[in-house]
C-alpha cells in the first residue's frame, strides 16, 4: 500500500530549499513530479541508529526531532546517510557522493533539466547497483545525481521504496519490509 507522509504546514516554507522536483528532460526519461520540496535536511537532522525489527528483511526507523525518517544506508557497498522521502519519485544524491560511489565524470551526463526550490539545475540519471539498510537489500535502483550546490542530502525516494514488499508509518516509526 502506498502512502504519503504529511509534513506540518508550519515548517514547509522554512524547509523548502535544495530538494529537486523532477520533470521530463532530454533523453526520454519518465516525467515525474515530486512533493519533496518541503523536506530538507538541516544541521540538526542527524540520522538515528535504525532499530532492527526481528527477522531478515525488516527495518524500523524512528522519526527524528523534525519528524523525518533518516537512516544509515549502503549504496553500492558504501555507507550513506539518507532521508526517506515518499514524495520523491527517485533516489536523489549529489555529485560528490556519486563520485565516492564510483561514478566518473564520463558516466554522469547532466542533461536532464530539473527544478528545485533554488531554481533550475541539471541532473544525471543513474542506476544504483544496490541499496541496503539493515537486513534489507534491493538491486537496480534508479536515481538522479544533482550538482552539489543543488542538493545537500541524499533523498531516498520511491524508486527504492517501491521495490519493498511494504512500508508503513505508525506511532512515530517507519517500518520497511522486503
Amino acid at each position: 500500500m502506498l502512502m504519503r507522509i504529511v509534513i506540518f504546514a508550519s515548517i514547509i516554507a522554512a524547509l523548502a530549499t535544495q530538494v529537486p522536483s523532477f520533470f521530463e528532460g532530454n533523453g526520454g526519461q519518465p516525467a515525474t513530479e515530486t512533493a519533496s520540496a518541503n523536506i530538507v535536511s538541516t544541521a540538526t537532522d542527524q540520522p538515528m541508529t535504525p532499530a532492527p525489527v526481528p527477522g531478515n528483511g525488516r527495518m524500523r526507523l524512528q522519526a527524528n526531532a523534525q519528524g523525518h525518517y533518516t537512516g544509515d544506508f549502503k549504496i553500492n557497498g558504501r555507507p550513506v546517510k539518507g532521508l526517506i522521502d515518499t514524495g520523491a519519485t527517485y533516489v536523489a544524491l549529489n555529485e560528490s557522493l556519486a563520485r565516492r560511489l564510483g561514478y566518473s565524470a564520463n558516466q554522469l551526463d547532466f542533461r536532464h533539466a530539473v527544478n528545485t526550490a533554488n531554481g533550475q539545475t541539471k541532473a544525471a540519471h543513474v542506476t544504483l547497483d544496490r541499496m541496503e539498510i539493515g537486513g534489507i537489500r534491493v538491486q537496480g535502483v534508479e536515481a538522479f545525481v544533482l550538482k552539489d550546490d543543488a542538493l545537500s542530502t541524499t533523498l531516498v525516494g520511491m524508486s527504492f521504496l517501491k521495490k519493498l514488499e511494504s512500508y508503513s508509518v505508525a506511532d512515530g516509526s517507519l517500518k520497511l519490509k522486503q
Side-chain angles (χ1 to χ4, degrees), residues 129-152:
D129 292 333
R130 67 188 181 283
M131 282 187 71
E132 303 171 60
I133 184 166
I136 295 172
R137 182 178 181 177
V138 298
Q139 297 179 331
V141 178
E142 286 189 85
F144 276 90
V145 177
L146 280 71
K147 296 289 186 173
D148 289 345
D149 60 352
L151 184 65
S152 63

Side-chain angles (χ1 to χ4, degrees), residues 93-113:
L93 46 121
N94 64 30
E95 187 175 11
S96 292
L97 174 58
R99 297 282 175 94
R100 267 192 21 226
L101 296 174
Y103 293 96
S104 69
N106 293 337
Q107 293 172 303
L108 297 175
D109 182 5
F110 288 93
R111 64 180 169 155
H112 303 282

Side-chain angles (χ1 to χ4, degrees), residues 43-134:
T44 60
D45 229 2
Q46 296 300 316
M48 300 177 86
T49 302
V53 174
N56 192 20
R58 295 176 187 236
M59 177 57 88
R60 181 177 44 224
L61 300 171
Q62 294 296 315
N64 64 16
Q66 291 78 32
H68 300 157
Y69 298 97
T70 59
D72 296 323
F73 288 80
K74 284 188 179 179
I75 298 178
N76 295 351
R78 303 270 180 135
V80 174
K81 295 187 184 313
L83 172 72
I84 305 285
D85 183 354
T86 60
T89 303
Y90 296 99
V91 170
L93 46 121
N94 64 30
E95 187 175 11
S96 292
L97 174 58
R99 297 282 175 94
R100 267 192 21 226
L101 296 174
Y103 293 96
S104 69
N106 293 337
Q107 293 172 303
L108 297 175
D109 182 5
F110 288 93
R111 64 180 169 155
H112 303 282
V114 296
N115 292 315
T116 73
N118 289 335
Q120 193 172 66
T121 190
K122 295 288 188 174
H125 181 261
V126 298
T127 301
L128 306 171
D129 292 333
R130 67 188 181 283
M131 282 187 71
E132 303 171 60
I133 184 166

